[in-house]
């Protein structure tokens, strides 16, 4: 007899425990692994899944949703009145046009390719605009369709091998900009298509910097898919670092910076695994690489720089659930200005996670308000920020509930 298909938590009327079990299994996690990541035991997970224990409180449900990377909270709860997007934000109005440009298969020569130097200049302006704009997705979403089409045309129409490699390097970075736009939007297939095309174009370019950027983005995509993808994140990350290592003695600032960014990413993944020593060791190595860069240097894609290392330290401490250390690092990092508005907002979100972890929810909400002021589109698409706001909207303190509700309305989590 054929085996019965596993139930679909998105379609079948399952209870919470059954949904938890199906989603956990699909993520490739054991009960012990899920329990450890949630601060519980494997037997606790089994008790919830089998119905021996009752459905946990909202704070725990949100933590489970974070670990399992559910697209919408209702996928875990089964309650269609709780349709709250967590790690997939709202679809941006410009997403269809960007998607159409990426998915097109142009073979004609009707579109004349611009010179590579012009494409590079446009791409540089696009990155600069992304870092300056509070509505950065709107800004780069308007620029991307033509950049994608022109980058593809430049590759097709290149007349020499040298020109073709140069065009591939630019196209790889265009796909990198695409990934920043597509990330956390409700189209995972498009995200992976962009990441993979970026890797292929970078390899064709034979350019160390382009290869490093594409690998950095691919590693992030794997890591953000959850624990079952951590090995894949490490594989692309560490292999690329091994490729770049012999080049670093005489490397340009950009190549040194992408190697530093990849080194920190290895530490970030280690922190997600709970590897304290490994995570801080990679952070120390990345800091040493940052010190080799000019003090005012700021990598246009990854933001790697001397200025960002304090923010990176906050992230490591938060992922390791080191409450006191995350708050201490957040206070130290606040003394350093981060030029990029979206990266500054991301740092504020990480700091807010640390304050909540340290039992300072009021400071966490105030820090999220600063993130919203820096770049509303960053916080609107961030699952960690949404989780904090939703938790505090259920707080016992009326004043805190009110502040959380006000922020939730700004993020589109509650109706005005």
């Amino acid at each position: 007899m054929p085996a019965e298909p596993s139930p679909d938590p998105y379609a079948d009327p399952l209870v919470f425990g059954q949904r938890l079990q199906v989603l956990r299994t699909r993520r490739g996690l054991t009960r012990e692994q899920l329990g450890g990541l949630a601060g519980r035991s494997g037997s606790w997970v089994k008790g919830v899944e089998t119905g021996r224990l009752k459905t946990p409180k909202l704070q725990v449900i949100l933590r489970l949703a974070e670990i399992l990377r559910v697209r919408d909270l209702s996928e875990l709860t089964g309650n269609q009145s709780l349709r709250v997007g967590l790690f997939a934000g709202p679809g941006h109005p410009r997403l269809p046009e960007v998607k159409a440009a990426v998915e097109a298969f142009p073979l004609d020569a009707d579109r004349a390719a611009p010179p590579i130097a012009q494409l590079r200049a446009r791409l540089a302006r696009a990155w600069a605009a992304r870092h300056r704009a509070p509505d950065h997705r709107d800004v780069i979403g308007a620029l991307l369709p033509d950049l994608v089409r022109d980058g593809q045309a430049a590759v097709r129409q290149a007349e020499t091998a040298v020109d073709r490699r140069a065009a591939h390097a630019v196209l790889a970075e265009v796909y990198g900009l695409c990934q920043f736009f597509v990330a956390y939007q409700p189209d995972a297939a498009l995200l992976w298509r962009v990441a993979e095309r970026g890797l292929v174009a970078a390899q064709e370019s034979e350019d160390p910097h382009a290869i490093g950027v594409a690998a950095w983005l691919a590693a992030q995509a794997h890591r953000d898919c959850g624990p079952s993808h951590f090995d894949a994140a490490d594989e692309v990350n560490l292999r690329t670092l091994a490729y770049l290592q012999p080049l670093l003695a005489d490397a340009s600032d950009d190549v040194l910076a992408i190697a530093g960014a990849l080194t920190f990413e290895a530490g970030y993944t280690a922190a997600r695994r709970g590897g304290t020593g490994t995570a801080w060791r990679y952070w120390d190595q990345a800091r040493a690489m940052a010190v080799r860069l000019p003090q005012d240097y700021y990598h246009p894609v990854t933001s790697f720089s001397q200025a960002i290392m304090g923010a990176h330290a906050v992230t490591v401490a938060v992922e390791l659930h080191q409450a006191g250390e995350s708050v201490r690092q957040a206070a130290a990092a606040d003394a350093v200005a981060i030029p990029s508005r979206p990266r500054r907002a991301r740092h504020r979100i990480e700091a807010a996670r640390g304050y909540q972890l340290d039992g300072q929810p009021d400071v966490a909400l105030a820090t999220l308000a600063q993130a919203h002021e820096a770049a509303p589109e960053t916080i609107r698409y961030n699952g960690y920020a949404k989780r904090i706001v939703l938790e505090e909207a259920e707080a016992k303190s009326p004043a805190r509930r009110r502040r959380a509700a006000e922020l939730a309305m700004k993020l589109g989590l509650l109706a005005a």
Side-chain angles (χ1 to χ4, degrees):
M1 292 180 61
E4 289 189 15
S6 62
D8 186 346
Y10 310 133
D12 298 337
L14 307 180
V15 298
F16 178 85
Q18 292 173 310
R19 288 174 176 271
L20 179 63
Q21 182 173 5
V22 172
L23 291 166
R24 172 183 63 77
T25 303
R26 290 187 177 182
R27 283 296 184 198
L29 295 173
T30 66
R31 285 169 172 160
E32 287 71 23
Q33 288 170 330
L34 178 59
L37 291 167
R40 298 291 196 276
S41 64
S43 61
W44 177 86
V45 174
K46 181 178 180 180
V48 174
E49 289 182 349
T50 59
R52 180 172 56 82
L53 298 177
K54 63 182 181 181
T55 300
K57 294 182 179 179
L58 179 62
Q59 181 177 358
V60 180
I61 291 175
L62 288 167
R63 175 61 179 152
L64 293 170
E66 175 186 320
I67 297 165
L68 296 168
R69 277 300 196 273
V70 299
R71 295 167 298 180
D72 193 286
L73 194 57
S74 64
E75 295 171 7
L76 181 56
T77 65
N79 184 348
Q80 294 304 305
S81 66
L82 285 177
R83 295 197 62 81
V84 178
L86 288 174
F87 287 88
H92 194 278
R94 296 192 185 275
L95 179 60
E97 188 178 354
V98 173
K99 182 174 182 176
V102 170
E103 294 189 335
F105 188 53
L107 294 175
D108 56 70
D110 292 345
R111 190 182 190 91
I116 293 297
Q118 183 191 111
L119 259 179
R120 284 200 187 102
R122 285 166 56 191
L123 189 54
R125 287 195 295 271
W127 282 117
R130 178 189 179 271
H131 290 303
R132 286 195 304 263
D135 55 341
H136 50 92
R137 271 190 170 83
D138 197 51
V139 170
I140 65 174
L143 300 173
L144 275 170
D146 281 337
L147 277 171
V148 170
R149 296 184 188 105
D150 286 342
Q152 292 171 339
V155 169
R156 290 197 312 275
Q157 297 172 30
E159 295 182 352
T160 68
V162 172
D163 289 343
R164 182 175 291 275
R165 286 196 294 271
H168 271 299
V170 173
L171 181 59
E173 196 170 320
V174 170
Y175 283 134
L177 186 63
C178 273
Q179 188 169 330
F180 274 93
F181 175 80
V182 174
Y184 309 116
Q185 295 204 54
D187 197 332
L190 181 61
L191 173 70
W192 283 111
R193 192 172 301 119
V194 166
E196 289 168 358
R197 288 189 183 181
L199 282 172
V200 171
Q203 289 175 328
E204 291 292 331
S205 77
E206 301 180 12
D207 180 278
H209 179 254
I211 290 170
V213 170
W216 180 81
L217 288 162
Q220 287 199 335
H222 279 296
R223 189 193 62 236
D224 286 346
C225 279
S228 62
H229 281 246
F230 288 171
D231 286 346
D234 281 338
E235 175 73 9
V236 67
N237 200 339
L238 298 179
R239 278 185 178 271
T240 307
L241 276 172
Y243 158 75
L244 292 174
Q245 190 61 44
L247 310 176
L248 297 184
D250 301 312
S252 66
D253 288 342
D254 284 349
V255 172
L256 179 60
I258 193 59
L262 284 163
T263 301
F264 169 70
E265 285 301 314
Y268 192 164
T269 304
R272 284 270 181 94
R273 293 181 187 272
T276 302
T278 303
W280 285 115
R281 175 169 57 83
Y282 277 123
W283 181 85
D284 281 334
Q285 292 174 3
R287 179 179 58 177
M289 298 168 86
V291 170
R292 290 175 55 186
L293 295 166
Q295 190 167 2
D296 60 350
Y297 176 87
Y298 203 78
H299 190 264
V301 180
T302 68
S303 298
F304 189 80
S305 58
Q306 293 186 35
I308 209 67
M309 291 312 300
H312 282 338
V314 175
T315 296
V316 170
V318 168
E319 292 293 347
L320 291 170
H321 302 285
Q322 297 175 341
E325 181 66 13
S326 62
V327 168
R328 185 181 74 81
Q329 293 289 354
D334 274 353
V336 181
I338 298 175
S340 168
R341 290 182 74 127
R343 188 59 186 84
R344 189 159 68 243
R346 166 73 187 281
H347 166 57
R348 295 295 186 195
I349 294 167
E350 295 292 278
R353 294 175 67 196
Y355 286 122
Q356 194 193 39
L357 193 64
D358 197 49
Q360 302 184 53
D362 289 305
V363 183
L365 286 175
T367 307
L368 288 181
Q370 292 176 329
H372 187 269
E373 182 179 351
E377 284 195 345
T378 295
I379 186 171
R380 194 175 298 129
Y381 286 81
N382 188 281
Y384 299 115
K386 294 176 187 177
R387 176 173 62 81
I388 293 172
V389 170
L390 289 171
E391 284 185 23
E392 298 310 325
E394 299 283 325
K396 293 182 179 179
S397 164
R400 194 185 310 149
R401 285 201 308 272
R402 183 173 62 254
R403 285 195 296 275
E406 289 172 354
L407 193 49
M409 284 189 284
K410 291 179 181 178
L411 302 184
L413 297 175
L414 297 176

